Amino acid sequence: MNELTVYHFMPDKLNLYSDIGNIIALKQRAKWRNIKLNVVEVNETEGVTLDNCDIFFIGGGSDREQALATEELSKIKDQLKAAIEDGMPGLTICGGYQFLGTKYITPDGTELEGLGILDFYTQSQKERLTGDIVIESETFGTIVGFENHGGRTYHDFGTFGKVKYGYGNNEEDRREGIHYKNLLGTYLHGPVLPKNHEITDYLLKKACERKGIPFEPHNLDNTEEEAAKQAIVERLEKQHK
């Protein structure tokens, strides 16, 4: 059996809205392709290298927990940046996405330093952007999820896609998330991967390509996943009529 390894960063701090479900989805869809997915939980980064990592995952958390996690991740930020530039696939959720940027500005104007892996920033406001969201993506098709964030993120990188219903990065440009090389960052909780098999498969496929192992079968039966997604889309369409 072929194997991949996912590094799950800070699961003790970053598991808002059951983001651990993303790991479960990755493991199951890897299993259906006869791939064993090894999960390494990384709560402390001293001495950690990414030499054996094929995919990395950073979940969401409160501002306090995210600040603590960012301080820990800063010890390996150069490694993370190099891995991202080299095409390592990764998924970052909400705070895990925000702190890849240069700074996070709190509602009172305090600037918290980010990892600075990519050049973007987040401005937080007291009013939160909350609710189900539907995105139309050129890469992934229709994407659904749940967002609940005070941060408004601004950048010029590629995104998940155009927001059809919901808010997205900042409720202004009608775009959601970030897609840079094989790095994905998003505000979608829920968790996002069980609802969107296309994203799960993207991460696994890119990891397989990078490691030189087969990604088969290419077509799984996604009837149940598509039905669950369509139920969310139809509910929002009715609400917006």
Side-chain angles (χ1 to χ4, degrees), residues 168-229:
N169 280 335
N170 51 53
E171 72 180 324
E172 297 168 22
D173 61 21
R174 307 300 295 169
R175 312 296 289 183
E176 206 288 321
I178 192 169
H179 187 174
Y180 175 75
K181 297 194 173 182
N182 293 325
L183 168 70
L184 304 176
T186 179
Y187 276 115
L188 273 60
H189 291 285
V192 63
L193 294 188
K195 294 185 176 75
N196 302 283
H197 60 87
E198 303 92 340
I199 302 174
T200 317
D201 288 347
Y202 174 90
L203 294 166
L204 293 170
K205 182 178 181 181
K206 293 301 180 181
C208 286
E209 290 175 350
R210 191 166 179 264
K211 195 169 185 178
I213 63 176
F215 178 77
E216 298 175 345
H218 293 288
N219 296 313
L220 297 177
D221 182 359
N222 300 309
T223 304
E224 292 184 359
E225 290 88 343
E226 287 297 326
K229 180 186 296 188

Side-chain angles (χ1 to χ4, degrees), residues 49-60:
T49 72
L50 301 180
D51 295 344
N52 298 317
C53 179
D54 300 304
I55 305 171
F56 70 90
F57 173 63
I58 307 174

Side-chain angles (χ1 to χ4, degrees), residues 20-222:
I20 187 65
N22 292 310
I23 295 293
I24 296 172
L26 280 168
K27 289 183 70 173
Q28 185 59 54
R29 291 190 73 85
K31 181 179 178 181
W32 287 339
R33 291 187 167 83
N34 200 35
I35 298 170
K36 180 182 179 183
L37 189 72
N38 303 306
V39 180
V40 177
E41 295 188 352
V42 182
N43 291 309
E44 297 181 356
T45 60
E46 190 67 40
V48 168
T49 72
L50 301 180
D51 295 344
N52 298 317
C53 179
D54 300 304
I55 305 171
F56 70 90
F57 173 63
I58 307 174
S62 67
D63 285 355
R64 177 183 179 278
E65 297 297 318
Q66 189 59 48
L68 292 172
T70 301
E71 182 178 355
E72 192 67 35
L73 286 167
S74 66
K75 300 174 185 176
I76 59 167
K77 65 180 181 180
D78 291 339
Q79 287 191 63
L80 267 177
K81 182 174 179 60
I84 291 168
E85 293 295 336
D86 190 53
M88 180 183 291
L91 176 65
T92 60
I93 308 294
C94 201
Y97 160 35
Q98 294 169 342
F99 276 83
L100 293 176
T102 57
K103 61 184 177 181
Y104 177 89
I105 307 170
T106 66
D108 66 5
T110 302
E111 291 193 8
L112 304 179
E113 185 178 357
L115 295 174
I117 290 176
L118 293 175
D119 186 13
F120 68 87
Y121 73 96
T122 298
Q123 171 79 59
S124 184
Q125 299 181 22
K126 291 183 179 180
E127 183 180 352
R128 301 188 68 81
L129 307 178
T130 305
D132 290 321
I133 180 172
V134 175
I135 303 157
E136 294 300 333
S137 169
E138 291 184 5
T139 303
F140 304 113
T142 300
I143 300 301
V144 302
F146 178 81
E147 58 182 333
N148 183 358
H149 53 103
R152 278 70 167 169
T153 297
Y154 301 89
H155 65 75
D156 295 321
F157 296 99
T159 65
F160 262 28
K162 185 177 181 180
V163 176
K164 185 175 182 180
Y165 304 118
Y167 300 100
N169 280 335
N170 51 53
E171 72 180 324
E172 297 168 22
D173 61 21
R174 307 300 295 169
R175 312 296 289 183
E176 206 288 321
I178 192 169
H179 187 174
Y180 175 75
K181 297 194 173 182
N182 293 325
L183 168 70
L184 304 176
T186 179
Y187 276 115
L188 273 60
H189 291 285
V192 63
L193 294 188
K195 294 185 176 75
N196 302 283
H197 60 87
E198 303 92 340
I199 302 174
T200 317
D201 288 347
Y202 174 90
L203 294 166
L204 293 170
K205 182 178 181 181
K206 293 301 180 181
C208 286
E209 290 175 350
R210 191 166 179 264
K211 195 169 185 178
I213 63 176
F215 178 77
E216 298 175 345
H218 293 288
N219 296 313
L220 297 177
D221 182 359
N222 300 309

